[in-house]
Amino acid sequence: MFKKFAEGLVFGGGFGVSFIFLWYVAAYLIYPIFVTPHIQESVSLQMSEIESKLPTSMSSRNVIPDKPRIQFHELSLEEQIKTASVIAIAKYEKSSDGKMKAIIKELLKKKRVQPFITR
């Protein structure tokens, strides 16, 4: 009788492990493939509705159309300097808790960025 119980536990454990594996595959591989396009579509629809309600001065008509964005680290050094809003020289020191701490020694460039505020 104990042997039959142990066999049942092993069978149930295997079933549980296979269920968790299939859930992982579905959640992280299959689900995003089908859901991401629908999310992007609904977000663009909501954004167009919001833009239609904005005054003309705040609408996207005054904004340069989106072009393919290049990652910052892919830019050349001159372009990185031109587009950076802050360039700081920092010195790294160990803190009392053993972690590294950055201490800013000098600001070479600091551009004030105005946030986009809707009222």
Side-chain angles (χ1 to χ4, degrees):
M1 186 163 139
F2 181 72
K3 185 177 179 181
K4 195 70 165 170
F5 178 72
E7 288 175 359
L9 282 177
V10 170
F11 177 76
F15 185 76
V17 168
S18 63
F19 177 77
I20 290 172
F21 175 76
L22 289 176
W23 174 80
Y24 175 80
V25 168
Y28 291 100
L29 300 177
I30 298 171
Y31 184 74
I33 292 171
F34 294 110
V35 175
T36 303
H38 298 294
I39 291 173
Q40 290 174 345
E41 183 179 309
S42 71
V43 166
S44 64
L45 181 63
Q46 290 173 355
M47 288 301 293
S48 64
E49 290 175 3
I50 290 171
E51 287 177 352
S52 67
K53 295 177 185 176
L54 287 176
T56 329
S57 62
M58 297 176 74
S59 71
S60 64
R61 284 178 245 147
N62 298 334
V63 178
I64 299 170
D66 283 342
K67 56 183 176 183
R69 296 184 186 222
I70 300 173
Q71 297 293 323
F72 185 77
H73 67 274
E74 294 174 348
L75 297 173
S76 67
L77 183 60
E78 292 81 20
E79 291 172 330
Q80 286 181 356
I81 292 170
K82 189 187 303 181
T83 59
S85 57
V86 174
I87 299 176
I89 296 177
K91 179 181 174 185
Y92 290 93
E93 296 179 352
K94 276 197 171 183
S95 63
S96 59
D97 60 355
K99 295 182 180 177
M100 295 299 284
K101 176 171 61 169
I103 299 171
I104 297 187
K105 294 292 183 185
E106 184 180 354
L107 288 174
L108 299 177
K109 177 182 176 183
K110 183 177 180 184
K111 180 171 65 173
R112 184 181 172 120
V113 179
Q114 293 184 346
F116 179 73
I117 301 173
T118 58
R119 294 183 185 187

